[in-house]
């Protein structure tokens, strides 16, 4: 017989206890007995039975009161209680059932009836527990699926938005970059012509001399190449941002592809670079990058970029919160990224900050769906959950350590591509 625990018999009549115990033990059940309600409550407090046979009429607290006290404790509410009683009127039966009992066995009882009712209610309890477990598993599966759908929708929407912006930026910036060399050549030619005019004529017409003096031609000829060079540097910067946006939002194929993790980190950092600048009384966030020599990794690049975005944005949020609360007065706000390959089979990415840290009582809940400590409109509570699931999908691990007032360290372990 399957081990279901023990059956507790509560009755002040020794004969009833003996008969019921022998009957149940003869069928392979484990049995414990109590002669009054107080003893039964103490025994249940120490160890829960699978089922209780409870006499109604007992000295001290009767069966009804004992049942009421048992059912008032949430952890005992799932224990089936069958009343043993000679009180067979409808009023007493209704009273017992309303207190949480599941059945009645009338005295004098028949052994076969006792065994039949005990088996039925034990089976019902087992079926209920199985159903509750299945519901919990299905709920967890649905919750996970919902989070995945949210993640996919966010990635899809973000990818379309970022790709569209990058495309729109790319056309005009390409035009600027391609035409700048010609503009520089034209400026040099015009400068040479103007210089030649000045050296070839001893005395230029008065209006021309006045125009040259008013415009400060010497300064223009000196500054214009530098101005064009600054425009070229800025255009190249915009082009780099456009490339980073496309890399960040790159579409994932149905199969994993080789990817440079440093490229993903740098693309994400470029997008978040405006948040590293000084804000109010908070100094600029110092970015420390300690990149190791990593191999290319087989992965879904945009999904890993989403992980980097969520973790880095959380780190910056923690530093900003510390700054707002005046916690950064005696230290430099710092965001540190370290990548290593501890062994041939694994890659480690550590992202740490010296922000607010996470309170100890909250730390176990950070990977719960929809849990967030941020105010309304500042977070969905899905960022770390999505990151955790993405890393799990890549057969990796994501761990988080934090100390209130000192900062947080996130470790992302990924398998190295063999």
């Amino acid at each position: 017989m399957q081990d279901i625990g023990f059956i507790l018999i509560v009755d002040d009549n020794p004969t009833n206890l003996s008969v019921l115990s022998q009957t149940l033990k003869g069928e392979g059940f484990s049995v414990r007995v109590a002669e009054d309600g107080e003893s039964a409550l103490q025994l249940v407090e120490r160890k829960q039975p699978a089922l209780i046979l409870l006499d109604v009429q007992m000295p001290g607290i009767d069966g009804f009161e004992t049942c009421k006290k048992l059912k008032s404790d949430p952890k005992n509410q799932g224990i089936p209680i069958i009343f043993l009683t000679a009180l067979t009127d409808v009023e007493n039966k209704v009273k017992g059932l309303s207190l949480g009992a599941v059945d009645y066995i009338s005295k004098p009882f028949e052994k076969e009836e006792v065994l039949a009712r005990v088996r039925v209610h034990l089976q019902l309890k087992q079926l209920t527990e199985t159903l509750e477990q299945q519901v919990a598993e299905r709920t967890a599966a649905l919750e996970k699926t919902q989070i995945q759908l949210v993640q996919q929708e966010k990635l899809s929407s973000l990818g379309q938005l970022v790709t569209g912006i990058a495309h729109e930026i790319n056309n005009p910036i390409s035009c600027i970059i391609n035409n700048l060399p010609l503009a520089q050549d034209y400026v040099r030619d015009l400068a040479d012509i103007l210089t030649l005019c000045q050296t070839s004529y001893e005395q230029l017409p008065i209006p021309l001399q006045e125009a040259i003096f008013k415009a400060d031609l010497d300064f223009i000829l000196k500054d214009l190449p530098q101005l064009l060079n600054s425009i070229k540097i800025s255009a190249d910067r915009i082009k780099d941002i456009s490339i980073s946006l496309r890399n960040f939002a790159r579409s994932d194929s149905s199969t994993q592809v080789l990817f440079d993790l440093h490229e993903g980190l740098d693309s994400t950092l470029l997008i978040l670079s405006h948040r590293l600048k000084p804000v109010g009384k908070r100094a600029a966030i110092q970015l420390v990058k300690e990149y190791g020599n990593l191999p290319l990794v087989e992965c879904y690049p945009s999904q890993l970029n989403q992980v980097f975005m969520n973790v880095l944005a959380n780190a910056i949020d923690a530093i900003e919160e510390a700054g707002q609360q005046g916690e950064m007065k005696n230290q430099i706000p710092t965001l540190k990224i370290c990548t290593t390959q501890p062994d041939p089979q694994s890659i480690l990415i550590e992202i740490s900050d010296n922000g607010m840290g996470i309170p100890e009582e909250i730390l176990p809940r950070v990977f719960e769906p929809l849990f967030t400590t941020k105010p309304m409109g500042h977070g969905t509570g899905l960022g770390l959950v999505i990151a955790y699931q993405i890393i799990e999908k890549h057969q990796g691990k994501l761990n988080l350590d934090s100390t209130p007032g000192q900062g947080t360290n996130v470790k992302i372990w990924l398998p190295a591509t063999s």
Side-chain angles (χ1 to χ4, degrees), residues 22 27 144 156 187 285 371 391 398:
Q22 290 177 11
E27 294 298 317
K144 187 173 183 179
S156 176
V187 167
I285 297 175
F371 175 77
I391 298 302
L398 190 152

Side-chain angles (χ1 to χ4, degrees), residues 264-338:
L265 285 165
D266 288 340
S267 295
T268 309
L269 285 169
L270 188 59
I271 294 170
L272 292 171
S273 61
H274 68 285
R275 297 194 60 193
L276 303 179
K277 297 176 181 179
V279 176
K281 295 182 179 180
R282 174 182 65 73
I285 297 175
Q286 180 180 347
L287 178 62
V288 179
K289 295 196 296 185
E290 296 179 358
Y291 287 175
N293 186 22
L294 301 184
L296 298 179
V297 174
E298 281 191 0
C299 64
Y300 300 97
S302 71
Q303 292 188 17
L304 284 188
N305 285 340
Q306 182 69 39
V307 173
F308 299 151
M309 175 64 76
N310 289 346
V311 174
L312 288 167
N314 280 346
I316 296 172
D317 287 344
I319 293 174
E320 287 184 344
E321 184 181 356
Q324 291 168 0
Q325 298 188 16
E327 300 290 335
M328 305 298 293
K329 293 179 180 177
N330 300 320
Q331 55 182 327
I332 300 173
T334 304
L335 176 63
K336 183 177 180 181
I337 306 172
C338 180

Side-chain angles (χ1 to χ4, degrees), residues 401-416:
D401 296 314
S402 188
T403 304
Q406 296 184 24
T408 301
N409 177 259
V410 177
K411 293 183 178 180
I412 302 169
W413 295 86
L414 291 169

Side-chain angles (χ1 to χ4, degrees), residues 214-270:
K214 186 176 180 180
D216 196 354
L217 182 60
D218 290 338
F219 174 78
I220 291 176
L221 293 176
K222 181 180 179 181
D223 188 59
L224 189 54
Q226 296 177 359
L227 180 63
L228 290 173
N229 189 57
S230 295
I231 294 173
K232 183 178 184 304
I233 292 172
S234 298
D236 289 337
R237 173 70 171 167
I238 296 173
K239 183 179 180 182
D240 289 340
I241 293 173
S242 176
I243 292 171
S244 294
L245 287 171
R246 291 200 303 274
N247 288 338
F248 178 83
R250 57 191 296 175
S251 300
D252 290 330
S253 61
S254 57
T255 58
Q256 298 183 354
V257 297
L258 289 173
F259 180 58
D260 183 348
L261 294 175
H262 293 154
E263 177 186 308
L265 285 165
D266 288 340
S267 295
T268 309
L269 285 169
L270 188 59

Side-chain angles (χ1 to χ4, degrees), residues 136-197:
E137 290 173 352
R138 294 286 176 86
T139 301
L142 286 171
E143 195 174 68
K144 187 173 183 179
T145 302
Q146 182 184 26
I147 292 170
Q148 289 173 344
L149 289 173
V150 171
Q151 172 212 338
Q152 290 170 0
E153 183 64 26
K154 285 178 69 177
L155 284 175
S156 176
S157 300
L158 181 63
Q160 292 175 9
L161 174 64
V162 171
T163 301
I165 292 172
H167 178 74
E168 292 301 319
I169 291 174
N170 192 58
N171 288 335
I173 205 64
S174 294
C175 178
I176 294 171
I177 290 173
N178 291 334
N179 286 309
L180 267 174
L182 289 174
Q184 289 173 319
D185 289 342
Y186 294 159
V187 167
R188 279 194 295 269
D189 290 343
L190 289 173
D192 290 342
I193 292 170
L194 289 172
T195 302
L196 185 61
C197 287

Side-chain angles (χ1 to χ4, degrees), residues 2 10 64 80 86 119 132 199 227 247 318 349 371:
Q2 181 183 359
V10 187
F64 290 143
R119 287 194 179 101
E132 288 175 348
T199 56
L227 180 63
N247 288 338
I349 303 166
F371 175 77

